[in-house]
Amino acid sequence: MHRILPNILFIVIIFILATAFPLSTDILSLDLSQQIVDQPVDEVVITPKISTVLPELQDSILTQELYFDIKSTTSVFPADLLSTYSLDVFSSTKKVKSIPLSDLTAVKVSDIDHQKRISISKSTLLEGLDEGYYTFKLVEDNKTQDYSWYASNVNYSKVLLKTTNQVSNGNLGLILYYPTSDYQNLVPISRIIKTPDNRWRTLYTTLLNGPKTGLGLYEGTPSIPYAPNIKISKGVATIYMYSANIAGFEDKFPMVVKGISKTFMTLGPLDGVNFLLDDSSNKTVSGVDLKTTFTTGQEKSAYVGYTKDSNYMMLMPLPLSTSTFDDQVNEIIKILKGHTELASNVFSVLPDEITLQGYTLSGSNLQLNFSANIDKVLSAYPEYELLMYKALIYSCTSLEGVSTVQIQANGVNVSNSLIDFNAPVSADKYLNLEP
């Protein structure tokens, strides 16, 4: 009896509790197999860093394509990959056009070592441009990269007029300064003739009759005013002209005087050339004071290439503007590369990728040390390679105190079937021999 009473009391308590608080059945539906998940966090998106990788080696006109690489830190690249890039195209130092890469259809994009390689045919970039040497610069986000690609669209089909020192017995060599087709510059043309009775009159008549046709020089008749009388006295040549003869040449008269003077001084020996108009020197024609004795001989000059409507190339001197020797050497290189304003129908003869590393003047021999590519870049085009060497020889030997030149490629004397610089080389007296 004593044992039953506590059990009954316990059952009563349970009954009271059960009826006082409603029983929830949710606990009976719990899925204890589900994982307990931590509080979710925001997803972190890594933005790739894009960088441009330029070639390590110097480019050359010998290569047909230019390329550079684009690198991504995540190997993920934007869809508009090329939108921030463009190429500036330079002729010498003058920018001729800028090309957005996104506008080009000929761009090749390749996957190389988790990078994108961008390749473009150089011929595509040269479409519509004049013949010559060109340089390309990459621009990224309006910032020009410090690397250059080089290209050429020269057809290399023309022939360089020859030079010589040889004139056989019974012949006379003439160096005639004929005006260019626009009458703005003078080109020395050499002609070998039978020795005449009066070489001075023959010289003037030959100059008067103009150059051989087909050279791209001025072919008007006559090419200079007629002079009925020429007098040589005490080392001075006097050219007699009359008003009727210079009709039509008034505006050309400065070039007329220069061409005649330089032509006569090369035949020499002469101390100078005088001009009389209507038997008087007290006159001025187009700014030319006839009281002046003209002594223009060989000037300090850079010899560039000239061609115009012709199958031929020839050397044409352009006077230097600087005074010190160092400046003159550097000016020659700039002019030969076309880095200064050139005359019409004149083209650069030294590709921009070739660099002058230094020079040494030993006695009267000037040794020029260029980058190693000077004997390679034009080796497939012998006429143009020889033009480059001849231009350097004639330009440098026009400097005071220089009579011979040696050209080196990275410290090694250039020597090939065209020319041998193992020994000093001088300029031939007669240049641009008529074909």
Side-chain angles (χ1 to χ4, degrees), residues 300-321:
K300 299 177 181 67
S301 305
Y303 282 73
V304 295
Y306 173 86
T307 187
K308 165 70 174 174
D309 300 333
S310 165
N311 293 324
Y312 299 101
M313 302 180 293
M314 53 209 79
L315 292 161
M316 187 181 87
L318 294 177
L320 302 179
S321 61

Side-chain angles (χ1 to χ4, degrees), residues 229-297:
N229 191 21
I230 299 170
K231 180 181 178 182
I232 309 296
S233 177
K234 298 180 180 180
V236 176
T238 301
I239 312 297
Y240 291 79
M241 294 181 178
Y242 294 91
S243 297
N245 304 126
I246 69 168
F249 285 95
E250 293 87 353
D251 293 341
K252 301 182 179 72
F253 204 73
M255 198 60 60
V256 167
V257 167
K258 188 175 181 180
I260 295 172
S261 300
K262 289 176 73 70
T263 298
F264 269 67
M265 294 294 287
T266 57
L267 186 60
L270 288 176
D271 297 322
V273 180
N274 289 334
F275 291 85
L276 297 180
L277 181 61
D278 298 329
D279 299 321
S280 173
S281 63
N282 294 319
K283 293 186 178 182
T284 299
V285 182
S286 295
V288 178
D289 185 356
L290 298 186
K291 291 192 290 292
T292 304
T293 296
F294 297 90
T295 59
T296 304

Side-chain angles (χ1 to χ4, degrees), residues 115-135:
Q115 299 180 157
K116 297 291 186 181
R117 172 152 294 185
I118 311 303
S119 304
I120 307 170
S121 171
K122 292 178 180 178
S123 60
T124 300
L125 303 172
L126 295 172
E127 290 178 357
L129 297 179
D130 295 334
E131 282 192 30
Y133 298 118
Y134 290 89
T135 301

Side-chain angles (χ1 to χ4, degrees), residues 181-247:
S181 61
D182 58 4
Y183 223 102
Q184 297 300 307
N185 288 280
L186 297 168
V187 176
I189 297 294
S190 296
R191 182 181 297 178
I192 310 300
I193 63 171
K194 294 291 184 182
T195 302
D197 294 333
N198 187 332
R199 62 177 188 164
W200 297 108
R201 171 48 67 182
T202 299
L203 178 66
Y204 196 94
T205 301
T206 304
L207 192 61
L208 177 78
N209 291 336
K212 183 176 181 178
T213 58
L215 293 181
L217 299 171
Y218 182 79
E219 295 182 359
T221 304
S223 63
I224 58 172
Y226 175 69
N229 191 21
I230 299 170
K231 180 181 178 182
I232 309 296
S233 177
K234 298 180 180 180
V236 176
T238 301
I239 312 297
Y240 291 79
M241 294 181 178
Y242 294 91
S243 297
N245 304 126
I246 69 168

Side-chain angles (χ1 to χ4, degrees), residues 366-380:
L366 181 61
Q367 191 176 72
L368 301 165
N369 184 25
F370 288 92
S371 49
N373 53 354
I374 190 170
D375 65 343
K376 298 179 179 65
V377 68
L378 293 176
S379 59

